[in-house]
Amino acid sequence: MGDLHGGSREPTYSGALSFMRRRFSRDLKGVDVAIWGVPFDAATSNRPGARFGPQAMRRASAIFNGDPQFPSGHDPFATLAVVDWGDCSFDFRHLERVPELIQAQAAEILATGTHLITLGGDHSIALPLLRAHAQIHGPLALVQFDAHQDTWKDGGGQSHGAFVTRAKAEGAIDTHRSIQIGVRTIAPNDFGIEIIDAHEARGLGAAGIARRIRERVGNAPAYLSFDIDALDPAFAPGTGTPVIGGLASVDALLALWELRDLDWRGMDLVEVSPPYDHADITALAGAAVVQHYLQILAEKSR
């Protein structure tokens, strides 16, 4: 493809794997959004496999290519120049260095003024991503879709269940503006973060969820961290720590779409674990969340 704008002409079942057929490039001149993979899952506490998530979501995303996108009805790439930046580079023999490498490479992208969308990987990758974003934007309002609060005690090392604890301690997030949606497990602390648990979310519906998020975040710079296990395993079986009773895909997507007015500064989509998936259900769900987020950015730029 010779231009950064417009759709691909390749059939959805062929061609190289990149997210929604975007050009693979590390040249960010003239680029609005970079999509980047972090294939790391060594911090999982249950089932591994999320290292294969970026590849699976790229493959699944091809189905969205070439048509006006739902629900906007527009081609986001008519107004947004988007590239697939490839994956984070790290040496698997030195896992202790992975967080600093994620942060450094994210900072390299963000320093160009490019909006960063990250495909994980387990949820531990959100911590270095938040650090990199906070260095530019200040403390962020964390909008976290998740079955878990991820506020367990920070015992050092790397854990996908304690990234919020450390982000709060480091001042990367503004807990008074942050909110978690879909939670259906109990953790020792909430740090003042507002929680819409899965039962409450069911009663609120998508419009009610969006209203509560908007009221909490206000005009603060916001970061979206979407753990695919926020969805019920019926909609996302391929994840490391599935919890019954979660959100339906349509409610999560509709709630996100209602939040087009928020000041989004970046996002990650994590915990897609293809070894436990079936017929790409989970990878498709993850790709759809990113597709909706891209449309939100495009609508803002129109």
Side-chain angles (χ1 to χ4, degrees):
M1 197 167 89
D3 197 299
L4 289 173
H5 293 90
S8 169
R9 296 183 179 87
E10 291 183 293
T12 59
Y13 53 82
S14 69
L17 292 177
S18 67
F19 196 87
M20 290 182 72
R21 301 297 199 195
R22 295 302 86 201
R23 182 195 299 178
F24 271 117
S25 177
R26 295 210 164 178
D27 179 3
L28 296 176
K29 184 178 181 180
V31 171
D32 299 307
V33 181
I35 299 174
W36 180 49
V38 181
F40 176 82
D41 66 0
T44 53
S45 57
N46 193 34
R47 306 188 307 195
R51 68 184 62 184
F52 302 112
Q55 184 182 76
M57 283 184 277
R58 287 182 171 113
R59 183 178 65 250
S61 74
I63 197 68
F64 296 123
N65 179 65
D67 298 317
Q69 299 298 304
F70 179 83
S72 70
H74 300 122
D75 175 6
F77 308 126
T79 53
L80 287 180
V82 182
V83 299
D84 190 318
W85 209 70
D87 284 346
C88 181
S89 302
F90 57 83
D91 187 339
F92 70 91
R93 296 170 300 179
H94 300 282
L95 296 178
E96 72 284 353
R97 293 197 59 213
V98 170
E100 66 184 74
L101 292 171
I102 294 172
Q103 182 176 347
Q105 290 170 50
E108 178 184 347
I109 296 170
L110 294 171
T112 68
T114 304
H115 198 101
L116 178 59
I117 297 174
T118 305
L119 310 176
D122 68 47
H123 217 157
S124 70
I125 72 168
L127 178 61
L129 292 171
L130 285 166
R131 288 168 173 161
H133 283 80
Q135 284 179 344
I136 295 174
H137 305 299
L140 295 149
L142 175 65
V143 179
Q144 180 183 348
F145 284 78
D146 206 322
H148 311 88
Q149 295 172 247
D150 296 330
T151 57
W152 290 94
K153 184 177 180 180
D154 179 12
Q158 299 172 64
S159 169
H160 68 164
F163 86 89
V164 175
T165 303
R166 197 172 296 183
K168 184 263 183 188
E170 295 178 6
I173 60 174
D174 179 353
T175 55
H176 297 98
R177 294 284 198 170
S178 297
I179 187 166
Q180 298 172 326
I181 306 97
V183 171
R184 49 199 187 276
T185 53
I186 305 297
N189 291 297
D190 59 28
F191 300 123
I193 297 171
E194 183 174 347
I195 296 172
I196 303 176
D197 67 36
H199 289 179
E200 186 178 9
R202 180 71 174 173
L204 286 170
I209 293 169
R211 182 180 65 255
R212 287 274 296 277
I213 295 172
R214 186 178 295 107
E215 290 171 351
R216 181 69 171 181
V217 173
N219 61 0
Y223 183 89
L224 174 65
S225 190
F226 199 109
D227 187 325
I228 205 66
D229 71 25
L231 305 182
D232 188 87
F235 303 96
T239 192
T241 313
V243 184
I244 297 298
L247 304 176
S249 298
V250 64
D251 290 329
L253 292 173
L254 183 53
L256 178 58
W257 184 242
E258 290 290 316
L259 297 169
R260 298 187 296 283
D261 56 328
L262 291 193
D263 184 12
W264 296 112
R265 301 300 178 93
M267 79 158 291
D268 60 66
L269 192 296
V270 296
E271 299 288 355
V272 171
S273 184
Y276 298 96
D277 207 0
H278 175 73
D280 286 340
I281 294 172
T282 314
L284 282 164
V289 173
V290 176
Q291 178 242 23
H292 274 56
Y293 186 83
L294 277 169
Q295 289 182 82
I296 287 172
L297 298 182
E299 290 297 293
K300 282 180 172 289
S301 70
R302 284 174 59 82

